[in-house]
Amino acid sequence: MSVDPEVEGDGGTATERRGLRSRWRLRRPFILPSQRATADNIVAAPTPLQPIDLTDDAEVSQVLDLAVRVGEVVLAAGTGVGDTSAQVRFIASTYGLDRCDIDVTFDAIRITADRGPRLPPASDMRVVKYRSLDFTRLAAVDRLTRRIRSQVVPVDEAHAALDEIVSARHPYPRWASTAGWSLLAAAIAVLLGGGLVLAAISFATTALIDVVNRALHQLGLPMFFQHLVGGVIAAAPAIALASISDHWRADAALIVAAGITVLLSGQQLVGSVQDAITGAPITAAARMLEVLMMTGGIIAGIGLALRVSTMLGIAVPEIAASAGRDTEYLGIKLAAGAVAAIAFTLACYAERRALLAAGLSGAGGTLVFLGAQDIGFGPVVASGMAATVIGLAGGLMARRALTPPLVVAAAGITPLLPGLKVYRGLYALLEDESLIGFSQLVGAFGVGCALAAGVILGEWFDRLLSRRGTPRDFDPTYTSDR
């Protein structure tokens, strides 16, 4: 049954109604699909934007290779299995391979495409041999995915763009990354209640850790031993400072806690918990084992330094009864949380547009965490509440900054990592207080899991809100000057 576009109805002519709908869609305040980041639920294209010839093995192979290479970049950056699979599936379906089986594990991506009953299935595989903290590369792949979604991008052109992204140099010199890690340690020392002297020592100590570990990495030393050496270096200045006078003995422990936080940051804790929650237990177990091994290396290094200090009769830095996170000097601590998040993004080579969003995320998460503890919640619950806010607000800010939400979320939870709790556990074990020591270490693990789970919950709320604000009949090629 056809409809004459000029036939009058209750709402005017069909042409007028289409015009009204078009103007309504342009004015409606929602985030357009072309502005959504890759960690959002990727909406399947209604029809292939650039369909290929399914009988051409070379073309099919090109598409599959492009899909798994995009997945390699996002998986190496710590993205969960679900979001990585969605990325790979979207790239394949955009070019006409909409019937695909995708298997993502800790270090490999496999894809098999069904080309119909008359053609054999095509498959490809990519092994992820590295872990990348280059957030600029992640953001560039994010933009390439949006470009593939919103434009008709030939496969050859997409491959060339991806080659350029992967082979591009870091946007900042190496010393800028070292300065970012060092600034992160200084900000954490201030956040925990330390003064300028402790912040300066933490800055210098972390710079030394970064330089030494980079040299060890070039020599091929496994990451576990790199973290062990980092733990020793983090504890050495604190032990030396504590041996000078009893006045510095309590505050010196904050240097170790700041070093632990820096060494813990960047680990794939969020990705491992996300995989466990979203039904990828094998990959979750592998990622969690890696996190535990790296954390074990840090603990072993610090424990070794403290044990040697005790054997030599040198005072061991202890935790003062008042040490911790409270609302005293709230303004300074919020600024420290923001600086810590910005420093983390800088150390991970994030784009400049991401720095402001990361700073707001760090300050907001710190405020919620300190406020929740001040009204009586424990550190685990307070961490989960703060991380939920970070995940929710991070997704919104990430869209505005056109930055993957993973960048904002990882930066936001960095100031809340349980470095002080880990050191308290080690100190208690050294003093033969096994029950307290294990309790503190288990509590640190609980805080880490609460941070990861909170981020995932916040991102779920963000996606739910974004879906409600997005019309069902969107045009994937639609763009806006907003």
Side-chain angles (χ1 to χ4, degrees):
M1 178 179 178
S2 61
V3 179
D4 187 349
E6 301 300 328
V7 175
E8 294 286 343
D10 294 337
T13 66
T15 303
E16 291 173 346
R17 290 196 297 271
R18 283 197 299 270
L20 289 173
R21 285 198 299 270
S22 176
R23 290 193 294 272
W24 176 83
R25 289 178 63 186
L26 287 174
R27 294 176 182 175
R28 188 178 179 185
F30 61 83
I31 301 299
L32 294 171
S34 60
Q35 294 175 292
R36 299 177 70 199
T38 53
D40 294 331
N41 281 344
I42 297 177
V43 182
T47 57
L49 302 180
Q50 179 69 18
I52 61 171
D53 183 4
L54 297 183
T55 63
D56 190 330
D57 293 341
E59 278 195 278
V60 172
S61 179
Q62 272 191 314
V63 171
L64 295 181
D65 185 60
L66 175 66
V68 295
R69 288 184 62 200
V70 168
E72 178 187 20
V73 173
V74 298
L75 183 66
T79 303
V81 169
D83 289 332
T84 301
S85 299
Q87 283 278 78
V88 175
R89 187 180 304 279
F90 178 80
I91 296 294
S93 63
T94 299
Y95 294 99
L97 299 176
D98 54 349
R99 292 182 293 179
C100 294
D101 291 323
I102 300 168
D103 180 27
V104 179
T105 60
F106 173 68
D107 60 352
I109 302 173
R110 301 173 182 85
I111 180 172
T112 302
D114 182 4
R115 296 189 288 175
R118 296 181 179 273
L119 293 171
S123 62
D124 200 350
M125 175 181 175
R126 194 84 175 183
V127 176
V128 182
K129 299 180 180 179
Y130 65 94
R131 292 289 178 265
S132 173
L133 287 178
D134 188 341
F135 286 157
T136 293
R137 180 182 298 170
L138 181 64
V141 170
D142 178 85
R143 286 193 295 272
L144 176 60
T145 302
R146 288 199 303 271
R147 182 184 165 200
I148 291 173
R149 173 170 51 195
S150 61
Q151 302 175 16
V152 180
V153 181
V155 182
D156 292 339
E157 183 179 337
H159 266 287
L162 185 59
D163 289 338
E164 184 177 353
I165 291 171
V166 173
S167 61
R169 302 186 58 166
H170 293 309
Y172 311 125
R174 184 67 189 88
W175 64 262
S177 178
T178 300
W181 291 119
S182 302
L183 183 60
L184 171 59
I188 294 299
V190 173
L191 181 61
L192 295 177
L196 293 178
V197 174
L198 294 180
I201 296 175
S202 299
F203 185 97
T205 301
T206 303
L208 179 61
I209 292 174
D210 188 66
V211 171
V212 170
N213 278 353
R214 174 159 286 270
L216 294 176
H217 179 73
Q218 292 176 348
L219 294 174
L221 186 68
M223 286 295 296
F224 174 84
F225 297 104
Q226 293 181 35
H227 280 73
L228 189 149
V229 173
V232 172
I233 297 175
I239 294 172
L241 191 62
S243 64
I244 295 176
S245 66
D246 292 337
H247 172 71
W248 290 104
R249 188 180 177 191
D251 291 340
L254 300 182
I255 301 174
V256 187
I260 293 173
T261 302
V262 172
L263 291 170
L264 286 176
S265 62
Q267 298 297 320
Q268 300 193 32
L269 182 62
V270 174
S272 62
V273 175
Q274 181 181 16
D275 291 341
I277 292 176
T278 56
I282 297 177
T283 305
R287 284 185 169 181
M288 185 61 70
L289 180 60
E290 183 186 53
V291 171
L292 292 178
M293 287 299 296
M294 298 305 104
T295 305
I298 300 169
I299 293 174
I302 295 174
L304 177 62
L306 296 180
R307 180 58 65 184
V308 171
S309 172
T310 302
M311 292 172 60
L312 296 177
I314 302 175
V316 176
E318 64 180 5
I319 299 292
S322 58
R325 288 165 170 159
D326 49 45
T327 54
E328 188 178 5
Y329 304 111
L330 181 61
I332 295 177
K333 292 183 177 181
L334 293 182
V339 171
I342 292 174
F344 175 76
T345 56
L346 180 64
C348 297
Y349 301 104
E351 295 174 318
R352 294 178 183 176
R353 70 176 70 187
L355 299 182
L356 177 60
L360 293 175
S361 178
T366 302
L367 177 62
V368 174
F369 177 81
L370 296 178
Q373 282 205 321
D374 191 60
I375 62 177
F377 288 103
V380 175
V381 176
S383 298
M385 294 171 62
T388 302
V389 173
I390 290 171
L392 173 59
L396 299 174
M397 290 186 294
R399 286 197 198 89
R400 292 297 180 184
L402 293 182
T403 301
L406 174 65
V407 177
V408 180
I413 67 172
T414 294
L416 307 180
L417 292 173
L420 191 60
K421 220 173 227 323
V422 171
Y423 183 76
R424 278 177 171 154
L426 289 176
Y427 182 82
L429 292 176
L430 188 65
E431 295 296 319
D432 293 328
E433 298 175 346
S434 301
L435 183 60
I436 297 176
F438 283 115
S439 175
Q440 289 290 325
L441 293 177
V442 171
F445 179 75
V447 168
C449 291
L451 289 173
V455 167
I456 296 165
L457 181 61
E459 289 182 350
W460 179 82
F461 281 120
D462 172 53
R463 293 171 178 176
L464 182 65
L465 293 175
S466 67
R467 280 201 298 268
R468 288 185 175 181
T470 303
R472 295 181 182 178
D473 57 341
F474 77 88
D475 180 1
T477 63
Y478 177 82
T479 57
S480 172
D481 294 330
R482 283 185 53 207

PDB file of all heavy atoms in Angstrom, residues 408-433:
ATOM      1  N   VAL A 408      39.548   7.419  31.301  1.00  0.00           N
ATOM      2  CA  VAL A 408      39.053   8.233  32.414  1.00  0.00           C
ATOM      3  C   VAL A 408      38.846   7.371  33.659  1.00  0.00           C
ATOM      4  O   VAL A 408      39.176   7.783  34.774  1.00  0.00           O
ATOM      5  CB  VAL A 408      37.743   8.938  32.014  1.00  0.00           C
ATOM      6  CG1 VAL A 408      37.210   9.783  33.158  1.00  0.00           C
ATOM      7  CG2 VAL A 408      37.967   9.805  30.785  1.00  0.00           C
ATOM      8  N   ALA A 409      38.322   6.161  33.482  1.00  0.00           N
ATOM      9  CA  ALA A 409      38.070   5.284  34.624  1.00  0.00           C
ATOM     10  C   ALA A 409      39.367   4.839  35.290  1.00  0.00           C
ATOM     11  O   ALA A 409      39.492   4.868  36.520  1.00  0.00           O
ATOM     12  CB  ALA A 409      37.262   4.070  34.178  1.00  0.00           C
ATOM     13  N   ALA A 410      40.344   4.422  34.496  1.00  0.00           N
ATOM     14  CA  ALA A 410      41.619   3.984  35.064  1.00  0.00           C
ATOM     15  C   ALA A 410      42.309   5.112  35.797  1.00  0.00           C
ATOM     16  O   ALA A 410      42.901   4.907  36.870  1.00  0.00           O
ATOM     17  CB  ALA A 410      42.519   3.440  33.952  1.00  0.00           C
ATOM     18  N   ALA A 411      42.229   6.316  35.252  1.00  0.00           N
ATOM     19  CA  ALA A 411      42.841   7.464  35.916  1.00  0.00           C
ATOM     20  C   ALA A 411      42.089   7.816  37.194  1.00  0.00           C
ATOM     21  O   ALA A 411      42.707   8.168  38.217  1.00  0.00           O
ATOM     22  CB  ALA A 411      42.857   8.657  34.968  1.00  0.00           C
ATOM     23  N   GLY A 412      40.767   7.718  37.171  1.00  0.00           N
ATOM     24  CA  GLY A 412      39.973   8.106  38.329  1.00  0.00           C
ATOM     25  C   GLY A 412      40.172   7.217  39.543  1.00  0.00           C
ATOM     26  O   GLY A 412      40.169   7.693  40.685  1.00  0.00           O
ATOM     27  N   ILE A 413      40.364   5.912  39.320  1.00  0.00           N
ATOM     28  CA  ILE A 413      40.520   5.013  40.470  1.00  0.00           C
ATOM     29  C   ILE A 413      41.962   4.927  40.949  1.00  0.00           C
ATOM     30  O   ILE A 413      42.212   4.393  42.031  1.00  0.00           O
ATOM     31  CB  ILE A 413      40.019   3.593  40.135  1.00  0.00           C
ATOM     32  CG1 ILE A 413      40.910   2.928  39.072  1.00  0.00           C
ATOM     33  CG2 ILE A 413      38.567   3.610  39.716  1.00  0.00           C
ATOM     34  CD1 ILE A 413      40.595   1.470  38.844  1.00  0.00           C
ATOM     35  N   THR A 414      42.918   5.460  40.187  1.00  0.00           N
ATOM     36  CA  THR A 414      44.324   5.369  40.588  1.00  0.00           C
ATOM     37  C   THR A 414      44.600   5.991  41.954  1.00  0.00           C
ATOM     38  O   THR A 414      45.309   5.393  42.777  1.00  0.00           O
ATOM     39  CB  THR A 414      45.222   6.000  39.507  1.00  0.00           C
ATOM     40  OG1 THR A 414      45.143   5.208  38.315  1.00  0.00           O
ATOM     41  CG2 THR A 414      46.672   6.050  39.960  1.00  0.00           C
ATOM     42  N   PRO A 415      44.057   7.191  42.283  1.00  0.00           N
ATOM     43  CA  PRO A 415      44.321   7.740  43.624  1.00  0.00           C
ATOM     44  C   PRO A 415      43.741   6.905  44.757  1.00  0.00           C
ATOM     45  O   PRO A 415      44.133   7.097  45.919  1.00  0.00           O
ATOM     46  CB  PRO A 415      43.646   9.119  43.567  1.00  0.00           C
ATOM     47  CG  PRO A 415      43.524   9.443  42.126  1.00  0.00           C
ATOM     48  CD  PRO A 415      43.311   8.135  41.444  1.00  0.00           C
ATOM     49  N   LEU A 416      42.825   5.984  44.448  1.00  0.00           N
ATOM     50  CA  LEU A 416      42.162   5.195  45.488  1.00  0.00           C
ATOM     51  C   LEU A 416      42.753   3.803  45.652  1.00  0.00           C
ATOM     52  O   LEU A 416      42.258   3.021  46.466  1.00  0.00           O
ATOM     53  CB  LEU A 416      40.667   5.072  45.146  1.00  0.00           C
ATOM     54  CG  LEU A 416      39.922   6.395  44.876  1.00  0.00           C
ATOM     55  CD1 LEU A 416      38.473   6.116  44.551  1.00  0.00           C
ATOM     56  CD2 LEU A 416      40.036   7.333  46.077  1.00  0.00           C
ATOM     57  N   LEU A 417      43.792   3.466  44.905  1.00  0.00           N
ATOM     58  CA  LEU A 417      44.407   2.141  45.037  1.00  0.00           C
ATOM     59  C   LEU A 417      44.975   1.950  46.441  1.00  0.00           C
ATOM     60  O   LEU A 417      45.511   2.885  47.039  1.00  0.00           O
ATOM     61  CB  LEU A 417      45.505   1.970  43.986  1.00  0.00           C
ATOM     62  CG  LEU A 417      45.030   1.882  42.540  1.00  0.00           C
ATOM     63  CD1 LEU A 417      46.209   1.898  41.578  1.00  0.00           C
ATOM     64  CD2 LEU A 417      44.192   0.638  42.325  1.00  0.00           C
ATOM     65  N   PRO A 418      44.881   0.735  46.987  1.00  0.00           N
ATOM     66  CA  PRO A 418      45.159   0.508  48.417  1.00  0.00           C
ATOM     67  C   PRO A 418      46.642   0.324  48.742  1.00  0.00           C
ATOM     68  O   PRO A 418      47.043  -0.684  49.332  1.00  0.00           O
ATOM     69  CB  PRO A 418      44.357  -0.763  48.713  1.00  0.00           C
ATOM     70  CG  PRO A 418      44.382  -1.521  47.426  1.00  0.00           C
ATOM     71  CD  PRO A 418      44.345  -0.478  46.327  1.00  0.00           C
ATOM     72  N   GLY A 419      47.473   1.282  48.366  1.00  0.00           N
ATOM     73  CA  GLY A 419      48.899   1.158  48.667  1.00  0.00           C
ATOM     74  C   GLY A 419      49.189   1.170  50.157  1.00  0.00           C
ATOM     75  O   GLY A 419      50.026   0.409  50.661  1.00  0.00           O
ATOM     76  N   LEU A 420      48.474   2.016  50.897  1.00  0.00           N
ATOM     77  CA  LEU A 420      48.694   2.105  52.348  1.00  0.00           C
ATOM     78  C   LEU A 420      48.260   0.818  53.042  1.00  0.00           C
ATOM     79  O   LEU A 420      48.908   0.353  53.984  1.00  0.00           O
ATOM     80  CB  LEU A 420      47.919   3.304  52.901  1.00  0.00           C
ATOM     81  CG  LEU A 420      48.226   3.717  54.342  1.00  0.00           C
ATOM     82  CD1 LEU A 420      49.700   4.099  54.488  1.00  0.00           C
ATOM     83  CD2 LEU A 420      47.337   4.868  54.763  1.00  0.00           C
ATOM     84  N   LYS A 421      47.187   0.217  52.585  1.00  0.00           N
ATOM     85  CA  LYS A 421      46.699  -1.025  53.179  1.00  0.00           C
ATOM     86  C   LYS A 421      47.695  -2.165  52.957  1.00  0.00           C
ATOM     87  O   LYS A 421      47.906  -3.002  53.846  1.00  0.00           O
ATOM     88  CB  LYS A 421      45.334  -1.381  52.575  1.00  0.00           C
ATOM     89  CG  LYS A 421      44.333  -1.930  53.564  1.00  0.00           C
ATOM     90  CD  LYS A 421      43.001  -2.082  52.914  1.00  0.00           C
ATOM     91  CE  LYS A 421      41.871  -1.525  53.723  1.00  0.00           C
ATOM     92  NZ  LYS A 421      41.939  -1.685  55.150  1.00  0.00           N
ATOM     93  N   VAL A 422      48.285  -2.218  51.768  1.00  0.00           N
ATOM     94  CA  VAL A 422      49.278  -3.249  51.490  1.00  0.00           C
ATOM     95  C   VAL A 422      50.467  -3.114  52.430  1.00  0.00           C
ATOM     96  O   VAL A 422      50.954  -4.097  52.996  1.00  0.00           O
ATOM     97  CB  VAL A 422      49.734  -3.164  50.013  1.00  0.00           C
ATOM     98  CG1 VAL A 422      50.924  -4.085  49.762  1.00  0.00           C
ATOM     99  CG2 VAL A 422      48.585  -3.534  49.079  1.00  0.00           C
ATOM    100  N   TYR A 423      50.918  -1.870  52.632  1.00  0.00           N
ATOM    101  CA  TYR A 423      52.066  -1.693  53.522  1.00  0.00           C
ATOM    102  C   TYR A 423      51.707  -2.016  54.972  1.00  0.00           C
ATOM    103  O   TYR A 423      52.513  -2.583  55.716  1.00  0.00           O
ATOM    104  CB  TYR A 423      52.605  -0.265  53.434  1.00  0.00           C
ATOM    105  CG  TYR A 423      53.838  -0.080  54.298  1.00  0.00           C
ATOM    106  CD1 TYR A 423      55.059  -0.588  53.883  1.00  0.00           C
ATOM    107  CD2 TYR A 423      53.763   0.554  55.536  1.00  0.00           C
ATOM    108  CE1 TYR A 423      56.189  -0.460  54.670  1.00  0.00           C
ATOM    109  CE2 TYR A 423      54.878   0.694  56.331  1.00  0.00           C
ATOM    110  CZ  TYR A 423      56.088   0.179  55.895  1.00  0.00           C
ATOM    111  OH  TYR A 423      57.203   0.299  56.690  1.00  0.00           O
ATOM    112  N   ARG A 424      50.499  -1.669  55.379  1.00  0.00           N
ATOM    113  CA  ARG A 424      50.078  -2.017  56.745  1.00  0.00           C
ATOM    114  C   ARG A 424      50.104  -3.524  56.948  1.00  0.00           C
ATOM    115  O   ARG A 424      50.510  -4.011  58.009  1.00  0.00           O
ATOM    116  CB  ARG A 424      48.663  -1.471  56.995  1.00  0.00           C
ATOM    117  CG  ARG A 424      48.628   0.000  57.387  1.00  0.00           C
ATOM    118  CD  ARG A 424      47.206   0.483  57.543  1.00  0.00           C
ATOM    119  NE  ARG A 424      47.153   1.812  58.124  1.00  0.00           N
ATOM    120  CZ  ARG A 424      46.159   2.659  57.943  1.00  0.00           C
ATOM    121  NH1 ARG A 424      45.142   2.306  57.163  1.00  0.00           N
ATOM    122  NH2 ARG A 424      46.171   3.835  58.513  1.00  0.00           N
ATOM    123  N   GLY A 425      49.662  -4.263  55.929  1.00  0.00           N
ATOM    124  CA  GLY A 425      49.694  -5.712  56.036  1.00  0.00           C
ATOM    125  C   GLY A 425      51.106  -6.247  56.144  1.00  0.00           C
ATOM    126  O   GLY A 425      51.395  -7.138  56.956  1.00  0.00           O
ATOM    127  N   LEU A 426      52.024  -5.712  55.347  1.00  0.00           N
ATOM    128  CA  LEU A 426      53.414  -6.154  55.412  1.00  0.00           C
ATOM    129  C   LEU A 426      54.046  -5.808  56.759  1.00  0.00           C
ATOM    130  O   LEU A 426      54.795  -6.609  57.338  1.00  0.00           O
ATOM    131  CB  LEU A 426      54.212  -5.495  54.282  1.00  0.00           C
ATOM    132  CG  LEU A 426      53.925  -5.984  52.871  1.00  0.00           C
ATOM    133  CD1 LEU A 426      54.728  -5.173  51.862  1.00  0.00           C
ATOM    134  CD2 LEU A 426      54.266  -7.458  52.740  1.00  0.00           C
ATOM    135  N   TYR A 427      53.752  -4.627  57.252  1.00  0.00           N
ATOM    136  CA  TYR A 427      54.321  -4.215  58.540  1.00  0.00           C
ATOM    137  C   TYR A 427      53.822  -5.111  59.668  1.00  0.00           C
ATOM    138  O   TYR A 427      54.584  -5.510  60.560  1.00  0.00           O
ATOM    139  CB  TYR A 427      53.955  -2.754  58.817  1.00  0.00           C
ATOM    140  CG  TYR A 427      54.531  -2.214  60.111  1.00  0.00           C
ATOM    141  CD1 TYR A 427      55.844  -1.761  60.153  1.00  0.00           C
ATOM    142  CD2 TYR A 427      53.767  -2.162  61.282  1.00  0.00           C
ATOM    143  CE1 TYR A 427      56.379  -1.262  61.334  1.00  0.00           C
ATOM    144  CE2 TYR A 427      54.297  -1.672  62.452  1.00  0.00           C
ATOM    145  CZ  TYR A 427      55.604  -1.222  62.470  1.00  0.00           C
ATOM    146  OH  TYR A 427      56.138  -0.747  63.648  1.00  0.00           O
ATOM    147  N   ALA A 428      52.537  -5.462  59.628  1.00  0.00           N
ATOM    148  CA  ALA A 428      51.983  -6.333  60.663  1.00  0.00           C
ATOM    149  C   ALA A 428      52.613  -7.726  60.600  1.00  0.00           C
ATOM    150  O   ALA A 428      52.930  -8.330  61.634  1.00  0.00           O
ATOM    151  CB  ALA A 428      50.470  -6.418  60.527  1.00  0.00           C
ATOM    152  N   LEU A 429      52.811  -8.245  59.391  1.00  0.00           N
ATOM    153  CA  LEU A 429      53.457  -9.552  59.266  1.00  0.00           C
ATOM    154  C   LEU A 429      54.896  -9.508  59.771  1.00  0.00           C
ATOM    155  O   LEU A 429      55.381 -10.466  60.395  1.00  0.00           O
ATOM    156  CB  LEU A 429      53.436 -10.001  57.793  1.00  0.00           C
ATOM    157  CG  LEU A 429      52.064 -10.343  57.206  1.00  0.00           C
ATOM    158  CD1 LEU A 429      52.185 -10.668  55.717  1.00  0.00           C
ATOM    159  CD2 LEU A 429      51.430 -11.514  57.945  1.00  0.00           C
ATOM    160  N   LEU A 430      55.579  -8.413  59.529  1.00  0.00           N
ATOM    161  CA  LEU A 430      56.951  -8.280  60.010  1.00  0.00           C
ATOM    162  C   LEU A 430      57.002  -8.234  61.530  1.00  0.00           C
ATOM    163  O   LEU A 430      57.980  -8.696  62.146  1.00  0.00           O
ATOM    164  CB  LEU A 430      57.572  -7.004  59.425  1.00  0.00           C
ATOM    165  CG  LEU A 430      59.069  -6.803  59.656  1.00  0.00           C
ATOM    166  CD1 LEU A 430      59.861  -7.885  58.937  1.00  0.00           C
ATOM    167  CD2 LEU A 430      59.511  -5.431  59.177  1.00  0.00           C
ATOM    168  N   GLU A 431      55.956  -7.717  62.156  1.00  0.00           N
ATOM    169  CA  GLU A 431      55.890  -7.639  63.619  1.00  0.00           C
ATOM    170  C   GLU A 431      55.219  -8.881  64.217  1.00  0.00           C
ATOM    171  O   GLU A 431      54.811  -8.851  65.387  1.00  0.00           O
ATOM    172  CB  GLU A 431      55.091  -6.391  64.019  1.00  0.00           C
ATOM    173  CG  GLU A 431      55.750  -5.080  63.615  1.00  0.00           C
ATOM    174  CD  GLU A 431      57.069  -4.861  64.317  1.00  0.00           C
ATOM    175  OE1 GLU A 431      57.155  -5.165  65.531  1.00  0.00           O
ATOM    176  OE2 GLU A 431      58.020  -4.391  63.656  1.00  0.00           O
ATOM    177  N   ASP A 432      55.131  -9.964  63.427  1.00  0.00           N
ATOM    178  CA  ASP A 432      54.539 -11.223  63.885  1.00  0.00           C
ATOM    179  C   ASP A 432      53.072 -11.087  64.279  1.00  0.00           C
ATOM    180  O   ASP A 432      52.576 -11.819  65.141  1.00  0.00           O
ATOM    181  CB  ASP A 432      55.343 -11.807  65.051  1.00  0.00           C
ATOM    182  CG  ASP A 432      56.726 -12.253  64.629  1.00  0.00           C
ATOM    183  OD1 ASP A 432      56.870 -12.676  63.462  1.00  0.00           O
ATOM    184  OD2 ASP A 432      57.661 -12.148  65.441  1.00  0.00           O
ATOM    185  N   GLU A 433      52.383 -10.180  63.660  1.00  0.00           N
ATOM    186  CA  GLU A 433      50.939 -10.024  63.864  1.00  0.00           C
ATOM    187  C   GLU A 433      50.239 -10.574  62.615  1.00  0.00           C
ATOM    188  O   GLU A 433      49.716  -9.835  61.782  1.00  0.00           O
ATOM    189  CB  GLU A 433      50.588  -8.557  64.093  1.00  0.00           C
ATOM    190  CG  GLU A 433      51.244  -7.973  65.351  1.00  0.00           C
ATOM    191  CD  GLU A 433      50.980  -6.485  65.505  1.00  0.00           C
ATOM    192  OE1 GLU A 433      50.514  -5.864  64.514  1.00  0.00           O
ATOM    193  OE2 GLU A 433      51.236  -5.943  66.578  1.00  0.00           O
TER     194      GLU A 433
END
